[in-house]
Amino acid sequence: MNGAVVGAKADIWPSEQRRGLQGGRRRESHLTYHPTFAPSYHPIEADDDDDDDDDDDDDAIIDRTEDSETTPCTASFTMMTYDSIVEDIATLIDSVHDDETRSHVVGGIVRLAAHDFMDFDPRSVESMGPDGCFDLDHPNNAGLETVWCEDCDLTLLHARRYAHVSRADFWIASANAVMYRTSLDNALDLRETFRWGRRDRDNCGGSGARLPTPARCSEVEEVFLDRMGLSWRETVALLGAHTLGRGEREFSGHHGTWSSSDKDAQRFNKQYFTELLENNWRMRNLGGPANGRAPQDWTTGGGGDDNGRMMLNTDVCLMFDIDFQINGGRPCCTIPDGGDECPFPRECPMYQRGTSRELAMEAVVEFYESSNAAYYDAFAVAWNKATTAGQRNLLPLMTSCESV
């Protein structure tokens, strides 16, 4: 069996990560959906024993023994396995019936895959990148424990049917499935460019500090351009995935959707760029936690600062030169109108010609004016580069079950 494939007896939660999950006991998911999968696969019965004994804690971990139910082919990642993941993710999404939770689910699965590859740093001895591991203790990853945990539906799906596939490969395939399912007419199909063979890492402590914080655009440059080697156009295309999902106060402190509603936040399209350019975004929570407020970000529309719309500094700074404003300068709005939507008289400046971030601004305008199909093409190129960062000898999907 290829070393990239997780062995049948591999433990899904290494000891380092168990300690992050309340001492190894099962942690209740914040999500309330409970999808029912195909009846031909036996459900996993979770151990409800809350005893503090270490042995009991280990028993609560999903057991991947040789008798675990998986898809028949365990020697390679086949086209049939990929298509099965797409169908199962669709079932999972469809099992959620309220828009807010569903937007959290679709955004969370894509975020899980992205946070796995955004810690890539070729300058470090431990380059990391997509390795099936995230730093559970770092605030940059807050909320991912509701997507991937011992009792989370995505984790149970992996253990039940795809234990032969590495977590890293499974997370990316699942994110691909979400974007296929939520794209217009299922037009964003990443099956042909998907490659497998990523190796899982058991410990990635400290990797959370490598992720971009939403504070300023320099974080975007450091992660995507300097470390991952992407262009500004590719970076902007990836950030367009913010059209999916929502921010939650209990996790990041940021609240709301990038799209116009939770229903729209379940559709993957170029709407992110329309929202950024056509709405009047104003700074909110000025001063942030230092002033006893939530983290500073941007909102639009009525309802005051507590409404359900959101952009982060790292979104707005793709189009507007706001470094001065977010570092304590006079606040601004992207389209000052003198009305209630803009309490600040200052208009946020755009980048001047000749600056490196002018390329980001040009990409935003390009995708705003383009068709969804053209944006999907650009996104597919950027996503492929990001999900293969630092990887060698990845393989295309196999047409049949065979050892590699």
Side-chain angles (χ1 to χ4, degrees):
M1 181 177 292
N2 187 284
V5 179
V6 178
K9 295 184 179 180
D11 193 331
I12 196 168
W13 283 105
S15 58
E16 293 83 2
Q17 290 181 331
R18 290 185 209 169
R19 286 194 290 270
L21 286 173
Q22 300 179 350
R25 291 189 293 275
R26 294 191 322 277
R27 183 170 184 166
E28 289 297 326
S29 170
H30 291 273
L31 303 182
T32 57
Y33 60 92
H34 298 285
T36 301
F37 298 104
S40 58
Y41 295 92
H42 304 302
I44 294 176
E45 295 182 0
D47 185 355
D48 290 327
D49 188 358
D50 285 332
D51 191 276
D52 288 335
D53 184 78
D54 288 341
D55 291 336
D56 290 340
D57 286 346
D58 288 340
D59 289 341
I61 306 298
I62 296 170
D63 180 25
R64 283 197 208 161
T65 65
E66 293 180 355
D67 295 329
S68 296
E69 288 285 349
T70 64
T71 48
C73 179
T74 58
S76 60
F77 203 136
T78 64
M79 293 181 180
M80 182 178 295
T81 297
Y82 185 94
D83 292 342
S84 179
I85 291 174
V86 171
E87 293 176 2
D88 283 339
I89 294 298
T91 300
L92 189 154
I93 294 172
D94 290 344
S95 70
V96 185
H97 300 298
D98 71 279
D99 287 330
E100 182 173 332
T101 303
R102 186 182 288 187
S103 67
H104 178 71
V105 171
V106 296
I109 294 174
V110 175
R111 181 173 176 243
L112 176 65
H115 279 225
D116 191 25
F117 66 63
M118 286 194 299
D119 61 9
F120 176 65
D121 187 353
R123 304 166 300 187
S124 174
V125 174
E126 298 289 345
S127 60
M128 297 191 186
D131 53 16
C133 186
F134 64 91
D135 186 356
L136 193 63
D137 296 324
H138 199 282
N140 281 344
N141 289 318
L144 289 182
E145 74 277 8
T146 70
V147 179
W148 189 263
C149 65
E150 294 173 58
D151 284 348
C152 292
D153 294 300
L154 189 67
T155 315
L156 295 174
L157 174 62
H158 179 256
R160 182 187 305 164
R161 298 194 60 178
Y162 307 107
H164 62 291
V165 173
S166 71
R167 292 188 301 273
D169 286 341
F170 179 73
W171 291 353
I172 293 170
S174 297
N176 287 2
V178 167
M179 292 183 286
Y180 172 77
R181 175 71 174 177
T182 59
S183 61
L184 185 66
D185 297 325
N186 302 136
L188 183 56
D189 190 348
L190 301 167
R191 184 175 185 260
E192 293 301 316
T193 56
F194 177 78
R195 297 294 182 268
W196 66 279
R198 298 166 186 82
R199 298 172 183 268
D200 285 337
R201 178 184 294 271
D202 288 339
N203 181 16
C204 54
S207 64
R210 297 183 181 185
L211 301 177
T213 68
R216 51 187 54 87
C217 229
S218 58
E219 301 271 344
V220 175
E221 286 184 280
E222 165 68 16
V223 172
F224 292 103
L225 278 71
D226 297 343
R227 294 209 318 250
M228 298 186 67
L230 302 180
S231 67
W232 266 119
R233 184 175 184 270
E234 291 163 340
T235 299
V236 171
L238 286 182
L239 288 174
H242 276 166
T243 192
L244 290 174
R246 58 179 292 109
E248 300 284 356
R249 283 195 185 94
E250 64 180 301
F251 303 135
S252 65
H254 300 283
H255 169 69
T257 58
W258 288 266
S259 297
S260 59
S261 67
D262 280 305
K263 183 174 287 293
D264 285 339
Q266 302 165 40
R267 302 185 180 109
F268 186 54
N269 51 30
K270 71 184 190 76
Q271 188 64 25
Y272 169 84
F273 306 103
T274 301
E275 299 294 337
L276 179 58
L277 292 185
E278 292 189 0
N279 287 305
N280 183 7
W281 295 95
R282 63 180 184 273
M283 300 178 75
R284 71 174 173 184
N285 302 323
L286 296 177
N291 285 351
R293 298 174 175 173
Q296 181 266 314
D297 56 19
W298 301 70
T299 192
T300 189
D305 285 351
D306 201 37
N307 72 14
R309 300 300 310 283
M310 176 190 73
M311 284 275 175
L312 304 173
N313 288 337
T314 43
D315 299 306
V316 176
C317 74
L318 297 177
M319 191 71 192
F320 300 93
D321 187 356
I322 56 172
D323 283 349
F324 173 73
Q325 280 73 26
I326 62 180
N327 286 311
R330 294 176 62 187
C332 63
C333 296
T334 59
I335 312 175
D337 60 2
D340 292 338
E341 288 192 11
C342 183
F344 313 122
R346 181 180 295 270
E347 180 178 3
C348 301
M350 293 186 180
Y351 294 109
Q352 296 182 357
R353 292 198 174 277
T355 62
S356 63
R357 293 182 193 170
E358 180 191 4
L359 299 176
M361 185 172 64
E362 290 176 352
V364 170
V365 174
E366 175 194 347
F367 297 139
Y368 169 74
E369 295 178 342
S370 73
S371 64
N372 277 302
Y375 169 61
Y376 290 155
D377 288 344
F379 180 88
V381 171
W383 182 257
N384 184 57
K385 289 181 68 172
T387 56
T388 58
Q391 302 296 308
R392 294 183 177 87
N393 303 318
L394 295 182
L395 300 169
L397 293 170
M398 313 298 286
T399 57
S400 61
C401 187
E402 55 186 277
S403 298
V404 292

